[in-house]
Amino acid sequence: MSIQLNNVSKTYHLKGRNVEALKPTSLKVETGEIFGLIGYSGAGKSTLVRLINLLEKPSTGTVTVGDDNLTELSSKDLRIRRQKIGMIFQQFNLIESKTVYENIEFVLKASKYNKKDVPARIEELLNLVGLNDKSSINAANLSGGQKQRVGIARALANNPDILLCDEATSALDPDTTKSILNLLKSINRTLGITIVIITHEMEVIKEIADRVGVMSAGEIIEIGDTYNVFSHPKEEITKDFVQEIYNFEVPSQIKETPENQVITIQFLSENAEENYLNQLYRDFELSISILNGRIEYIKEKPLGFLMFQVSGKVEEIERLKTHIDNSHGIERVGYIG
Amino acid sequence: MDNFSQLWPLLYRALLETALMVSISIFFAVLIGLPLGILLYITQHPLLFKIKPLNATLGWLVNIIRSFPFIILIVAIMPFATWLVNASHGPVFASVALSIAAVPLFARLVESSFNSVKDGVIEASIAGGAPIYLIVTDVLLPEAKKSITQAITLTIISIIAFSATAGVVGGGGVGDLAIRYGYYRYDTLTMIVTVIVLVIIVQIVQWAGDFISNRAEER
């Protein structure tokens, strides 16, 4: 189900001061896609995701999910509608005094799910998230990853068509993050649920998001296909996020001169795995030494970066640069390093 | 009184009176104070049932009753208590004032017990489309169970302390015995025995309360 935000904004009134957490923003999330929002803390991404199920009331604008304009629903209708919009949280937010089973049962009670079918539904959900043996364990006694799995089971209990993820993996270690992301991916694929995920971690976006929006100071400053946004970042903050996964820095002992330069190139998609360097060694009379290199897979498409130092005649270096610029699928990047 | 055998019948009777007053008062404190505490909490919570005027009115009412010195409260509500229980003295009569004093105390304790429930859990329940009554019964109460048990313990102990004053209206009880015999008549034996008995009662209540609240948590 699609989500349409139309000119929504959020302003908080704090001690006579107005704080604009979200500037007027329009956004469409398509049915069945995984849409990621990345930004540093305070960028307004948490506000934005809470506007989708109206945990925060927008100061202006409308929120439409499927055919329903949520901003116009009565509070009772909104409550019923929310049962079809699942949400998971950074701190999991389980009822700690209750068992795994009771935590899921809670939202089924909320939707007046047919009592007879509740045990079977819970078993089905626990199977889906891989916790079938944990049904009677107290939520307080689970590990972080297990808690988030219960959170996911709870969010999916009433067959929602949308799943909102609020920093869902930020409190988890890298391995657990991976497994939760894989679970979300498979839920998206098998159940066709539209997922909106907000995070400050590039790892999450590159793993899972079909499209990404980069947020800063209460607005979406860049938006598009994840691969395109990260292979051709326009805004400084987006570049910072890309830099964050590649973690490239020019070693401090290298002094750049016209005869001795550091060049960073980027290989796109199909070229990323090709051996481009051999050709450079062969065709140019330069000493080329590799400083750093890495291929990342963004939504399973490779994006490679290579940083190397070239030294030799200035003209030869210029010839090399022109050669790179004319190569298909290879680009020099200025912002890294 | 020279020896314990003379004191014993009085003490026995006082114990029963205390037990009666505490039972009646804690019963009404929970019966009325729990819903009142819930109401105080949910009417100020932006995600639940925020109604500022209602919350302010309830809070104001609770504060007024709580600011009355207990002895003045007893006297002030005497006509009402007489009408209600059709008596003008005795432990049941005194229980009216004790209940009225205990209700707002317990309500405030319940309210602050809910403050320890994480907002995130409430947010998740709202996001899951749960109605408010279900959030109260299935989230707030179970999550605050331990601290509500402690609130009951504390309220019982406060009622025991208040009940000493209940002697003014012939309420009786151990505290009243301590004041009337021990204090007014300079009866040292009664004084010592009653104080020891009170200490023991309070200790037992506290111990039992802690035991139950720990079990509530361990479950």
Side-chain angles (χ1 to χ4, degrees), chain B residues 2-3 13 37 54 65 93 100 105 112 120 132 134 155 170 174 188:
Chain B
D2 321 312
N3 62 55
R13 190 188 156 81
L54 179 59
I65 300 175
F93 179 75
I100 289 175
L105 168 69
S112 72
I132 290 171
L134 194 65
T155 307
V174 184
T188 315

Side-chain angles (χ1 to χ4, degrees), chain B:
Chain B
M1 248 166 277
D2 321 312
N3 62 55
F4 194 74
S5 60
Q6 281 174 289
L7 177 59
W8 174 243
L10 284 174
L11 187 63
Y12 179 71
R13 190 188 156 81
L15 275 170
L16 289 182
E17 286 163 347
T18 298
L20 183 63
M21 287 190 290
V22 169
S23 308
I24 294 174
S25 313
I26 194 64
F27 176 77
F28 284 105
V30 174
L31 189 74
I32 303 167
L34 187 63
L36 184 58
I38 291 170
L39 215 51
L40 278 169
Y41 182 77
I42 65 173
T43 54
Q44 56 79 40
H45 199 294
L47 283 174
L48 293 174
F49 194 61
K50 187 169 179 177
I51 307 178
K52 248 187 170 168
L54 179 59
N55 184 263
T57 312
L58 290 174
W60 184 74
L61 200 72
V62 161
N63 288 346
I64 286 190
I65 300 175
R66 291 199 63 200
S67 33
F68 266 84
F70 185 63
I71 186 146
I72 296 175
L73 184 72
I74 289 182
V75 177
I77 62 136
M78 253 182 185
F80 170 70
T82 312
W83 168 80
L84 191 68
V85 298
N86 204 14
S88 55
H89 68 280
V92 177
F93 179 75
S95 297
V96 177
L98 285 172
S99 302
I100 289 175
V103 164
L105 168 69
F106 186 65
R108 280 291 186 209
L109 290 172
V110 167
E111 184 193 10
S112 72
S113 299
F114 290 151
N115 283 328
S116 65
V117 178
K118 284 192 226 118
D119 260 349
V121 189
I122 296 168
E123 196 178 39
S125 313
I126 297 283
I132 290 171
Y133 78 86
L134 194 65
I135 297 178
V136 170
T137 57
D138 281 44
V139 179
L140 291 179
L141 290 174
E143 290 287 88
K145 196 161 56 181
K146 181 181 165 98
S147 96
I148 288 176
T149 319
Q150 287 167 338
I152 293 176
T153 310
L154 207 145
T155 307
I156 290 177
I157 292 173
S158 300
I159 293 171
I160 295 171
F162 283 150
S163 73
T165 317
V168 179
V169 289
V174 184
D176 179 45
L177 185 65
I179 291 176
R180 278 191 298 136
Y181 284 75
Y183 183 64
Y184 291 142
R185 300 189 189 176
Y186 304 105
D187 180 345
T188 315
L189 176 72
T190 308
M191 175 73 102
I192 291 171
V193 171
T194 49
V195 169
I196 290 174
V197 167
L198 282 171
V199 168
I200 293 172
I201 292 175
V202 169
Q203 291 289 354
I204 290 174
V205 170
Q206 186 68 53
W207 176 83
D210 287 349
F211 180 76
I212 294 168
S213 78
N214 285 333
R215 269 196 23 165
E217 189 183 45
E218 274 164 21
R219 190 196 79 100

